[in-house]
Amino acid sequence: MLTDKARAVYQFIVRYTHEHGYPPTIREVGTEFGFKSTNGTRYHLTQLAKAGYVKERAKGKSRAIVPVADLHGKDMDFVSERPERLGHGLRRAALLPKSEGIPILGRVAAGVPLLAEENIEGHMALDDLFPSNRDLFALRVHGQSMRDRGILDGDLVVVRKQEHARDGDDVVAVLGEDATVKTFRRTEDAVELIPANPDFETLRVTEGDDFRVAGVVVGLIRPMGPARRG
C-alpha cells in the first residue's frame, strides 16, 4: 500500500510531466515537498517503483523518473503505440519518456491557419544549441507564407513559450483552435500577423477576436532528404 505522501509525489510527477513535456528531477520533487535531502525523495520513489508506478530510464540522466501506472493500478503503457488507452490528462505525457529534449508538438501553418494538434511526434536533443530548453517546444511548419524569412514548408521552428511579443518577432499565433506562424506587428487598433510571401494576405486581429501568442520563434531546424517531412 502506498502512503499518502507517496501518492502525492506520484501525482506531482505526472502533473509536472504533462505541463512541461518532461519529468521532474529528484531535486525538483524534493523542492516541491520540502524534503531536506534527496534521500527523502528517493524513499518515496522507491515505494512507487516497487508498487509499479514509476521506473527509471536513461541511467545517469537527471530527468529519468517515468510514471507508468495510474493510482488504481492500471498499466499506463507509457511507451505504447496505443495512446488512446490512456486517460486524457496523461495522453501527452505518455509519449515523452523515450528520450529527453525539446518535444515536437505536431504541425503549425505558415499559410492559412491550421489546427496545431499537440500530438508529440518525437524529441530533439539540442542541448548544445539550446542549453536552456525548459520553456521551448518545436513545431513543424506547413506552408510557404514565411518563405522570405527563410522558414520553409517542412521546417521545424523552435519556439520559446511566452504570451507577449515585440514588433518584428516571428511568433506562433493561435486564432481560435488554429495556429499559424507569422511576423508580429501591433498597430493602434489591432495586431497584424504578417506573412513573408506576397502571395499571402496579412491577418488582422482586433479586440474581441479569440487570439493569443503561444510563443516567439527562436530557432529553425531544416531536416534534409527523406527525413524532411518526417
Side-chain angles (χ1 to χ4, degrees):
M1 295 292 292
L2 292 177
T3 65
D4 289 343
K5 181 65 73 174
R7 287 174 176 268
V9 168
Y10 179 78
Q11 290 166 349
F12 170 73
I13 292 169
V14 172
R15 185 174 69 252
Y16 188 103
T17 302
H18 172 69
E19 292 175 354
H20 293 82
Y22 47 79
T25 64
I26 289 176
R27 189 171 300 278
E28 285 167 342
V29 174
T31 299
E32 173 70 14
F33 291 92
F35 298 143
K36 294 181 179 180
S37 72
T38 58
N39 290 336
T41 304
R42 291 186 183 279
Y43 172 78
H44 296 292
L45 290 178
T46 299
Q47 276 194 314
L48 290 168
K50 287 181 177 179
Y53 294 114
V54 301
K55 59 183 171 182
E56 218 175 285
R57 292 185 184 277
K59 295 288 186 181
K61 294 194 179 240
S62 61
R63 299 188 184 278
I65 307 168
V66 181
V68 293
D70 67 16
L71 287 179
H72 300 291
K74 178 183 176 182
D75 179 15
M76 298 309 294
D77 200 7
F78 267 64
V79 291
S80 174
E81 277 71 44
R82 301 184 302 280
E84 67 275 6
R85 291 181 54 191
L86 309 181
H88 175 75
L90 296 177
R91 192 169 293 127
R92 284 187 58 213
L95 302 181
L96 299 177
K98 293 183 179 180
S99 63
E100 293 187 13
I102 304 170
I104 303 172
L105 301 182
R107 297 176 181 269
V108 62
V112 295
L114 179 72
L115 179 63
E117 298 179 354
E118 292 193 348
N119 293 324
I120 296 174
E121 296 181 357
H123 290 74
M124 295 184 294
L126 298 175
D127 292 345
D128 291 339
L129 291 176
F130 303 99
S132 178
N133 63 17
R134 185 181 185 90
D135 295 319
L136 300 182
F137 62 93
L139 288 167
R140 194 179 304 279
V141 172
H142 178 73
Q144 294 284 5
S145 77
M146 296 300 287
R147 178 194 65 192
D148 295 343
R149 295 279 279 191
I151 302 175
L152 306 180
D153 183 57
D155 285 352
L156 292 166
V157 288
V158 180
V159 184
R160 181 175 60 243
K161 290 183 285 187
Q162 61 184 66
E163 297 180 356
H164 61 277
R166 299 174 297 181
D167 285 358
D169 284 343
D170 292 333
V171 302
V172 172
V174 180
L175 303 169
E177 295 184 350
D178 298 330
T180 186
V181 57
K182 294 289 185 293
T183 300
F184 180 93
R185 182 171 68 192
R186 188 179 298 279
T187 67
E188 290 185 0
D189 60 348
V191 165
E192 293 182 339
L193 302 173
I194 305 169
N197 184 333
D199 295 334
F200 293 82
E201 296 183 354
T202 294
L203 300 176
R204 185 176 171 83
V205 180
T206 59
E207 185 176 358
D209 289 335
D210 186 4
F211 161 78
R212 65 183 175 89
V213 172
V216 173
V217 176
V218 296
L220 178 70
I221 298 169
R222 179 162 299 149
M224 304 299 290
R228 175 168 178 77
R229 296 301 302 181

